[in-house]
Amino acid sequence: MNNQRKGLSALMITLSMTLVLSACGGGNNAASNDRTAANTPAEGGTVKLKVYAQHFDDDTKGPFDYAVAELKKEMPEVEIELDPAVQDGNQKLKTYAATGNMPDIYFTDWATLQTFAKSQNVEVLDNYEATTEYKNSLNPGVESRLIAPDGHVYAYPDTGIEFQVIYYNKTIFDEVGIATPIKTYDELAAAAGKLKAAGYVPMSIFAKEKWITSAFYNGLVTREDAAGFGALDEQGLTELPQAFVSAAEEMEKLQQAGLFDANATNTNYDQASSQFYQGRAGMFVNGQWEIYSSAEKLGDQVDWMYWPAKDEATYEASKYNIAGAGSPQGYAVSPASKNKETAVKVAAFLAAKSAEYKYTQLGSPIVSPKTDKPIASDVPVMMQRIADELLPNAKEYAKLLSNTQIQNAVNDNTQNMLVDGFTAEDFIANLNRTLSKENQ
Amino acid sequence: MNKYLGNKPALALFLLPALLLYSVILIYPVLQTVFRSFYDWDGLSTAAFAGLANYRELFNDPLLGTSLKNGALFALVLAVFQIGLGTILALVCANPRVRGRKLLKTAYFIPVVLSVTVVCQLWIAMYDPTNGLVNKLFDVLGIPYQQNWLVSPTQSIIAIAFVNAWQFMGYQFSLLYAGVKAVPEDYFEAATIDGCGKWRAHWHVTLPLMRETFKFCFTIAITSGIGAFVQMLIMTNGGPGTTNYTLTFMIYRYAFMESNYGYACAVSVLLVMISLVATVVINKVFDRGQHA
């Protein structure tokens, strides 16, 4: 009886362990698997390509649908099957990679491209003819959007280098007597005081998302170090450079001056933007892409301003430093695609046509490839200012920070800067600890 | 009965599907997590063996202290509020002389069936420092205690834990109510005949006889607190900064934000170990003196 019980137990354990170990040994070499069933050439020479791209609102549907319609004219044999991307930090795409189900073409960012490059889930596009053509078509200054820090090309970008600006409500500023442009931190702090006294939120910010507090801080840093966060990605750098220390101290002063709402770190985009659009906030910080919404909601009441600096001389010297860094992103190709050559051509085509739509239909000059077609729509005045005033004079773009751990530490600590009791010293100590760990 | 249990091949045959299922959905992931915790792995590339490096890094990680403290606070709030209040309400509702008992029992359980997201959004609005109900309530009562509930680095974790405690109190209440009803009324009546007051009889008779129920309730409350995640994600996204991090939030950060799956596995192993230790301790505490 005892032996029988032991035998039965042994059988059960053996079965369990066999199952476990066989699964443990199951390799996951993404490149070696046969997948992408959607791209099997069908009858009549049609090539089906599965494309994973954002397609959930007018801003994302417009460019993609336009590009696909143009593709039909240029490459009628190609049939696109859209797999709409979800806003999940690319987890769905990573799951596709882990399970060997990568789409032929996918749109993704630099963080994911780095992981995919290591795991061979992205085709290196360096030697394709389409890449040479794409390089030649780039607008000046946006090379970092196409060519990764390691020198390779992994994706074809449509947008150019995006950046953050400060929007302000001209009517509210006139009402409370704030002169524009605000050039110095002291002027910004004084403006915050006036707005607060008049019952307005001085600057609405959706600081529940950490990237925006980080972007605000980067705006201050780039007044004195045009490279911005890129300067932190340097081997051997274990302490924050002076520009970062000064920016942290200024951010603390601005917070203490009441620039941000007390509940800012718990405010999301919808809440922050509605504060601004309903005339309850004097300023709003976001990327240049907000121009379309703000022009639509506030008309000529709204404008954007350059980032203030410690004094007027620094303001004038640094106003054309762009507070945005170009990181590689765009349409990438899976190495496992059965129609890889076609997929590469289509990826480049989709990116170029998406950019063309953004330029011609939306009037956005923030695109990577040049287009020879004219703008076919009314361009908001604020965007026209960017095209005429900022971009032609742009001195330097911020540099890319590729280290995720340092970026996360910056995100966490800049969000903390909006909370009472968290000081610039805390910020500096925390960042120095991360830099020591990551850059040594 | 012995005849059935003696038929080993049949026993094995019937157990096999359940055992396989259990292995696939529980044992395999746990073993894989332990295995992967010794590797430097981004979730996609070939993993490189790292020995104990992930664990060494984990014990020097400043987030660990924050997460352990928050987990302990969360668990404490759940245990005190859910089990403390749940027990009182269960005893009240078990009293046949209390009117509207059915209505109360249903009312306590309603938050349990609501979506966590809905409940969190509701409480975000209630915690709003300017227009929220909680601050308004203090204002109306004349108590000068206006707080920025979800922004304060010291209070926000307790405020968030309270949301979880409020929502799932009804679940604990239903378990405790079943426990109270399982105690034979004769014991309670005997105690009252011997001169015990109602609450004294509950203290000396009902509650000790609910030992097994309490053991289960505490296990659920403490392990839920240690592994809390959803409420932080929805209400503060772990912030400001990392002040509302728990071990599960650490796993989420390292695995899904930093693609550092090997390290996230090490955090997972620690989480499982702490939960196991907590379960064992709770069992020991409640078993103590039971067989004396």
Side-chain angles (χ1 to χ4, degrees):
Chain A
M1 184 67 187
N2 226 2
N3 282 344
Q4 270 186 335
R5 191 177 300 151
K6 278 182 189 167
L8 188 63
S9 303
L11 174 70
M12 293 301 171
I13 290 166
T14 309
L15 278 169
S16 303
M17 292 310 291
T18 307
L19 181 77
V20 167
L21 293 174
S22 62
C24 280
N28 198 10
N29 191 341
S32 68
N33 291 340
D34 234 9
R35 42 204 177 172
T36 52
N39 59 14
T40 314
E43 294 92 19
T46 304
V47 178
K48 281 188 181 176
L49 294 176
K50 193 172 185 179
V51 180
Y52 180 84
Q54 293 192 333
H55 196 267
F56 56 85
D57 62 3
D58 290 346
D59 289 347
T60 51
K61 283 180 182 171
F64 185 82
D65 292 345
Y66 174 81
V68 171
E70 291 294 310
L71 184 73
K72 275 263 175 248
K73 296 178 202 164
E74 185 78 16
M75 301 166 83
E77 75 283 7
V78 176
E79 195 177 303
I80 297 293
E81 184 195 337
L82 172 67
D83 181 358
V86 285
Q87 290 180 294
D88 62 348
N90 287 309
Q91 290 312 314
K92 183 176 171 185
L93 196 56
K94 285 178 186 169
T95 307
Y96 281 155
T99 54
N101 287 302
M102 287 295 277
D104 299 275
I105 299 168
Y106 55 90
F107 191 98
T108 195
D109 59 14
W110 175 226
T112 310
L113 284 172
Q114 286 179 89
T115 312
F116 283 5
K118 266 197 265 177
S119 59
Q120 297 174 337
N121 278 294
V122 62
E123 178 71 3
V124 178
L125 303 167
D126 300 0
N127 300 322
Y128 285 93
E129 199 183 322
T131 305
T132 312
E133 286 170 13
Y134 215 86
K135 271 184 191 167
N136 294 335
S137 75
L138 285 182
N139 276 313
V142 299
E143 290 76 11
S144 58
R145 208 66 166 146
L146 177 70
I147 302 164
D150 63 5
H152 292 299
V153 173
Y154 296 110
Y156 298 115
D158 54 351
T159 53
I161 298 176
E162 299 186 296
F163 49 87
Q164 284 71 45
V165 292
I166 298 173
Y167 297 89
Y168 68 98
N169 186 318
K170 291 192 271 186
T171 311
I172 295 176
F173 268 43
D174 287 344
E175 181 194 318
V176 299
I178 300 168
T180 52
I182 290 174
K183 293 183 177 179
T184 66
Y185 298 134
D186 289 341
E187 288 173 13
L188 184 59
K194 283 183 181 176
L195 287 163
K196 212 171 172 187
Y200 294 105
V201 171
M203 180 180 281
S204 66
I205 182 169
F206 43 100
K208 194 168 185 177
E209 294 180 33
K210 292 173 183 174
W211 75 265
I212 193 67
T213 55
S214 200
F216 183 90
Y217 177 65
N218 197 33
L220 308 190
V221 170
T222 48
R223 297 314 91 195
E224 290 181 51
D225 185 346
F229 292 158
L232 300 177
D233 214 353
E234 191 185 305
Q235 205 64 25
L237 181 81
T238 55
E239 285 194 358
L240 277 182
Q242 187 52 43
F244 290 79
V245 173
S246 306
E249 288 164 353
E250 295 300 344
M251 195 165 167
E252 184 186 9
K253 283 183 201 162
L254 291 170
Q255 193 274 336
Q256 287 171 350
L259 182 64
F260 308 107
D261 186 50
N263 202 32
T265 60
N266 208 32
T267 304
N268 60 28
Y269 170 79
D270 291 337
Q271 293 163 325
S273 59
S274 71
Q275 273 180 346
F276 186 60
Y277 294 141
Q278 288 172 11
R280 289 184 285 127
M283 290 174 274
F284 181 46
V285 59
N286 200 1
Q288 95 290 326
W289 55 84
E290 189 69 29
I291 283 177
Y292 300 103
S293 297
S294 55
E296 188 189 322
K297 306 257 173 43
L298 292 175
D300 58 4
Q301 279 187 72
V302 63
D303 203 351
W304 59 266
M305 64 171 97
Y306 295 99
W307 290 90
K310 63 182 176 188
D311 51 42
E312 279 199 38
T314 313
Y315 170 82
E316 292 300 340
S318 65
K319 67 195 270 192
Y320 297 123
N321 291 351
I322 309 278
S327 57
Q329 70 153 49
Y331 288 94
V333 174
S334 165
S337 171
K338 284 182 181 171
N339 294 292
K340 202 159 60 182
E341 297 288 330
T342 310
V344 171
K345 284 182 197 157
V346 170
F349 187 88
L350 290 176
K353 288 298 168 185
S354 173
E356 184 176 289
Y357 177 89
K358 287 175 181 177
Y359 181 76
T360 59
Q361 304 300 311
L362 306 175
S364 171
I366 320 290
V367 287
S368 278
K370 291 173 198 150
T371 177
D372 50 7
K373 291 187 179 171
I375 294 174
S377 65
D378 291 334
V379 181
V381 179
M382 286 188 289
M383 190 55 89
Q384 199 60 54
R385 255 189 82 203
I386 283 181
D388 297 342
E389 192 183 309
L390 179 59
L391 294 182
N393 295 309
K395 280 170 72 176
E396 205 173 327
Y397 285 93
K399 299 281 185 297
L400 175 66
L401 170 61
S402 289
N403 186 306
T404 315
Q405 283 74 26
I406 298 176
Q407 184 63 61
N408 282 341
V410 172
N411 290 349
D412 291 336
N413 286 284
T414 50
Q415 192 190 41
N416 269 331
M417 290 290 286
L418 270 55
V419 178
D420 285 337
F422 189 86
T423 64
E425 284 76 34
D426 296 330
F427 178 90
I428 294 160
N430 291 349
L431 261 293
N432 284 348
R433 191 166 53 238
T434 305
L435 291 175
S436 298
K437 188 178 152 214
E438 295 298 323
N439 285 341
Q440 259 178 357
Chain B
M1 189 66 186
N2 279 342
K3 186 181 158 194
Y4 291 117
L5 289 176
N7 189 347
K8 300 301 175 190
L11 203 61
L13 190 68
F14 286 120
L15 275 177
L16 199 60
L19 193 68
L20 280 175
L21 198 66
Y22 187 73
S23 302
V24 169
I25 64 171
L26 192 78
I27 296 175
Y28 172 63
V30 169
L31 289 178
Q32 265 283 2
T33 303
V34 175
F35 176 72
R36 295 284 178 185
S37 72
F38 298 108
Y39 283 81
D40 181 12
W41 183 47
D42 65 10
L44 293 172
S45 314
T46 309
F49 185 69
L52 293 171
N54 286 330
Y55 289 95
R56 273 197 294 272
E57 197 180 334
L58 175 59
F59 289 109
N60 289 315
D61 191 334
L63 277 182
L64 181 64
T66 309
S67 301
L68 290 174
K69 189 193 81 185
N70 285 340
L73 276 172
F74 209 104
L76 185 71
V77 172
L78 294 196
V80 170
F81 185 84
Q82 291 184 338
I83 301 176
L85 191 61
T87 305
I88 295 168
L89 294 175
L91 292 173
V92 170
C93 286
N95 185 345
R97 280 184 292 180
V98 172
R99 287 185 182 179
R101 287 185 302 145
K102 277 188 184 171
L103 185 70
L104 286 175
K105 281 188 282 182
T106 311
Y108 297 145
F109 202 76
I110 285 174
V112 179
V113 299
L114 294 177
S115 145
V116 176
T117 310
V118 170
V119 169
C120 288
Q121 292 298 340
L122 175 80
W123 278 92
I124 286 172
M126 285 168 60
Y127 281 140
D128 186 278
T130 318
N131 304 306
L133 183 69
V134 179
N135 274 353
K136 292 276 180 206
L137 196 64
F138 281 114
D139 198 25
V140 168
L141 295 172
I143 302 169
Y145 194 70
Q146 300 296 298
Q147 299 295 317
N148 202 343
W149 299 98
L150 295 177
V151 173
S152 161
T154 49
Q155 288 172 336
S156 52
I157 187 69
I158 295 169
I160 296 169
F162 182 78
V163 174
N164 185 310
W166 174 82
Q167 184 176 12
F168 295 105
M169 195 275 287
Y171 180 69
Q172 297 276 29
F173 163 79
S174 62
L175 295 173
L176 291 160
Y177 180 75
V180 173
K181 296 300 279 181
V183 176
E185 284 188 18
D186 304 358
Y187 296 167
F188 185 77
E189 282 169 12
T192 47
I193 289 166
D194 285 347
C196 252
K198 191 168 46 178
W199 289 106
R200 208 171 148 79
H202 279 314
W203 183 255
H204 288 290
V205 178
T206 316
L207 298 186
L209 288 170
M210 287 170 65
R211 188 190 295 262
E212 287 301 316
T213 310
F214 279 123
K215 190 201 289 184
F216 186 60
C217 288
F218 269 101
T219 305
I220 292 175
I222 301 295
T223 53
S224 303
I226 293 166
F229 171 67
V230 184
Q231 285 80 13
M232 282 79 148
L233 183 73
I234 297 171
M235 295 180 79
T236 62
N237 199 18
T242 52
T243 48
N244 285 324
Y245 265 50
T246 54
L247 286 173
T248 317
F249 219 110
M250 279 180 78
I251 296 166
Y252 170 73
R253 177 197 181 107
Y254 290 117
F256 302 115
M257 289 163 72
E258 297 188 4
S259 291
N260 192 350
Y261 282 82
Y263 189 69
C265 286
V267 185
S268 306
V269 171
L270 182 67
L271 174 63
V272 171
M273 294 307 293
I274 291 174
S275 297
L276 279 175
V277 169
T279 308
V280 169
V281 169
I282 291 166
N283 277 285
K284 290 274 179 204
V285 167
F286 279 93
D287 287 345
R288 199 171 48 191
Q290 192 178 18
H291 308 295

